[in-house]
């Protein structure tokens, strides 16, 4: 398996590193922003490499002098108790997403503390990671002791947030068979406002309710209050929403504060984004396609099936990369004629966590 794989460009950087570490294949990524006036890796990408170095043991990362090329030789995924300070150019979600993909395959259970920005508009916020991403891992039998605690909020630009991520280790992930999207039965949400008028979270909730109340009665939007030191260093507010179906399919959306935009507009934006996401259908929303597809590839040697909406450009590239690393390709067919939903199926590689410390 250990042939060197070669990629170009800075896109899909995180997923390629994760695939390399899981498959044990060496990877070289070059032409990282060669034409940019500030060429090479950004601070958040270097920080992610450092974090992956902490989580693993024996990983060799070589970065070229100009920073436009890297070579990764993966080691074993170690886990344990770790702390990492994230640069303020990206939120904690950027660093946590790849770690969540690796964490179940550590040698010892992972206890990771990350500090930085907890919510911004580029990456998944810690609220969605806690309420939506972790339940998706439970589909694959990763549940006991899986937890994400939000100790402090941190709004951009100064951050100051802190979270703790706990993940158990598994020997093997279960095969997924999730083809019934079901009907949406409840909507849940978390509004938070830090270092601004505490009324803002109520205004977010009322605005989004004005749209969501037309569709379903079971709506519970929770106002999360953080005081003093726990509210980070910058003012900001956001609303994270999730819709759950009768078969426990979860769709999510969120909107964050922008300068000069009243909370009402942010609340409406989140509600409309949620409805657009539900409208696409499927059992898994677009933000979690990669997570679910990767766990299907790593599943036991059986056919895994999942019904989702059309793949995003990121997912399409991910499917190509998975074929390079694991040699697994997906069969994608329309779920029902005229529904716009697709049925993804693949034969699991039977990936066994060889790193796991034997009890």
């Amino acid at each position: 398996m250990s042939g060197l794989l070669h990629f170009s460009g800075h896109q899909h950087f995180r997923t390629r590193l994760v695939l390399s570490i899981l498959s044990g294949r060496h990877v070289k990524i070059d032409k990282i922003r060669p034409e940019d006036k500030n060429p090479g890796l950004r601070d958040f990408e270097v920080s992610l490499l450092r974090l992956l170095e902490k989580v693993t043991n024996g990983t060799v990362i070589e970065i070229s002098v100009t920073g436009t090329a890297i070579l990764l030789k993966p080691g074993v995924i170690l886990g344990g108790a770790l702390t990492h300070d994230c640069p303020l150019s990206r939120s904690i979600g950027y660093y946590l997403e790849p770690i969540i993909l690796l964490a179940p395959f550590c040698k010892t259970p992972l206890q990771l503390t990350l500090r930085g920005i907890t919510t911004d508009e580029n990456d998944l916020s810690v609220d969605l990671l806690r309420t939506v991403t972790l339940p998706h891992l439970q589909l694959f039998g990763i549940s006991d002791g899986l937890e994400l605690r939000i100790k402090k909020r941190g709004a951009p630009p100064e951050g100051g947030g802190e979270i703790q991520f706990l993940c158990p280790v598994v020997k093997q992930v279960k095969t997924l068979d999730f083809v019934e999207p079901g009907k949406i039965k409840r909507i849940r949400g978390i509004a938070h406002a830090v270092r601004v008028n505490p009324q803002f979270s109520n205004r977010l909730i009322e605005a989004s309710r004005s749209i969501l109340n037309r569709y379903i009665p079971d709506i519970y939007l929770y106002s999360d209050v953080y005081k003093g030191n726990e509210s980070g260093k910058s003012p900001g507010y956001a609303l994270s929403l999730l819709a759950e179906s009768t078969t426990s399919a979860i769709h999510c959306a969120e909107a964050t504060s922008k300068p000069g935009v009243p909370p009402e507009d942010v609340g409406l934006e989140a509600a409309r984004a949620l409805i657009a996401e539900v409208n696409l259908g499927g059992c898994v929303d677009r933000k979690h396609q990669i997570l679910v597809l990767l766990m299907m590839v790593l599943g036991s040697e059986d056919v895994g099936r999942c019904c989702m909406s059309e793949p995003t450009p990121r997912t399409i590239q991910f499917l190509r990369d998975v074929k390079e690393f694991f040699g697994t390709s997906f069969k994608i067919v329309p779920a029902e004629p005229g529904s716009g939903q697709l049925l993804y199926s693949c034969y699991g590689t039977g990936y066994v966590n060889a790193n796991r410390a034997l009890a």
Side-chain angles (χ1 to χ4, degrees), residues 52-95:
L52 291 173
E53 219 167 33
K54 285 180 188 174
V55 172
T56 55
N57 183 14
T59 296
V60 178
I61 300 171
E62 294 171 16
I63 303 178
S64 69
V65 182
T66 52
T68 54
I70 72 152
L71 176 67
L72 176 78
K73 298 175 181 171
V76 294
I77 314 169
L78 201 59
L82 301 166
T83 305
H84 186 72
D85 289 315
C86 307
L88 301 176
S89 39
R90 293 295 280 266
S91 75
I92 285 174
Y94 174 84
Y95 307 91

Side-chain angles (χ1 to χ4, degrees), residues 64-281:
S64 69
V65 182
T66 52
T68 54
I70 72 152
L71 176 67
L72 176 78
K73 298 175 181 171
V76 294
I77 314 169
L78 201 59
L82 301 166
T83 305
H84 186 72
D85 289 315
C86 307
L88 301 176
S89 39
R90 293 295 280 266
S91 75
I92 285 174
Y94 174 84
Y95 307 91
L96 198 50
E97 271 185 82
I99 295 298
I100 285 175
L101 299 175
L102 295 173
F105 308 104
C106 287
K107 184 170 183 177
T108 53
L110 181 68
Q111 301 168 345
L112 175 67
T113 303
L114 291 175
R115 299 194 185 99
I117 291 173
T118 53
T119 307
D120 74 356
E121 63 266 13
N122 298 324
D123 304 290
L124 279 176
S125 74
V126 289
D127 290 307
L128 289 185
L129 287 166
R130 183 174 68 84
T131 54
V132 186
T133 310
L134 298 190
H136 277 106
L137 279 183
Q138 291 171 0
L139 294 171
F140 297 94
I142 306 163
S143 57
D144 282 353
L146 181 67
E147 196 179 347
L148 196 151
R149 301 175 188 148
I150 304 169
K151 295 286 176 66
K152 297 177 186 169
R153 293 267 176 200
E158 295 288 314
E162 183 180 317
I163 64 111
Q164 195 177 20
F165 174 58
L166 308 172
C167 184
V169 292
V170 293
K171 186 176 176 215
Q172 220 180 1
V173 290
K174 290 182 179 159
T175 305
L176 181 71
D177 187 23
F178 195 8
V179 291
E180 285 298 322
K183 295 267 188 284
I184 299 296
K185 65 173 179 182
R186 61 171 168 220
I187 295 176
R188 295 286 178 264
I190 296 176
H192 75 267
V194 292
R195 303 221 174 272
V196 292
N197 185 339
Q199 255 335 98
F200 276 23
S201 51
N202 296 343
R203 287 165 64 183
L204 284 167
I205 288 171
E206 279 167 20
S208 61
R209 266 188 177 278
S210 69
I211 291 184
L212 299 174
N213 276 345
R214 302 173 203 165
Y215 298 96
I216 193 169
D218 185 359
I219 301 177
Y220 188 78
L221 305 180
Y222 173 71
S223 169
D224 213 0
V225 183
Y226 282 79
K227 292 193 184 77
N229 194 22
E230 292 181 352
S231 50
K233 297 174 182 169
S234 297
Y237 48 87
L239 176 64
S240 312
L241 296 172
L242 62 104
E244 196 180 335
S245 82
T246 48
T247 55
S248 301
I250 304 176
H251 296 273
C252 65
E254 66 184 339
T256 55
S257 55
K258 295 170 196 65
V261 177
E264 282 77 10
D265 292 4
V266 175
L268 293 174
E269 185 192 334
R272 289 183 183 127
L274 181 71
I275 288 167
E277 200 61 66
V278 169
N279 185 36
L280 287 167

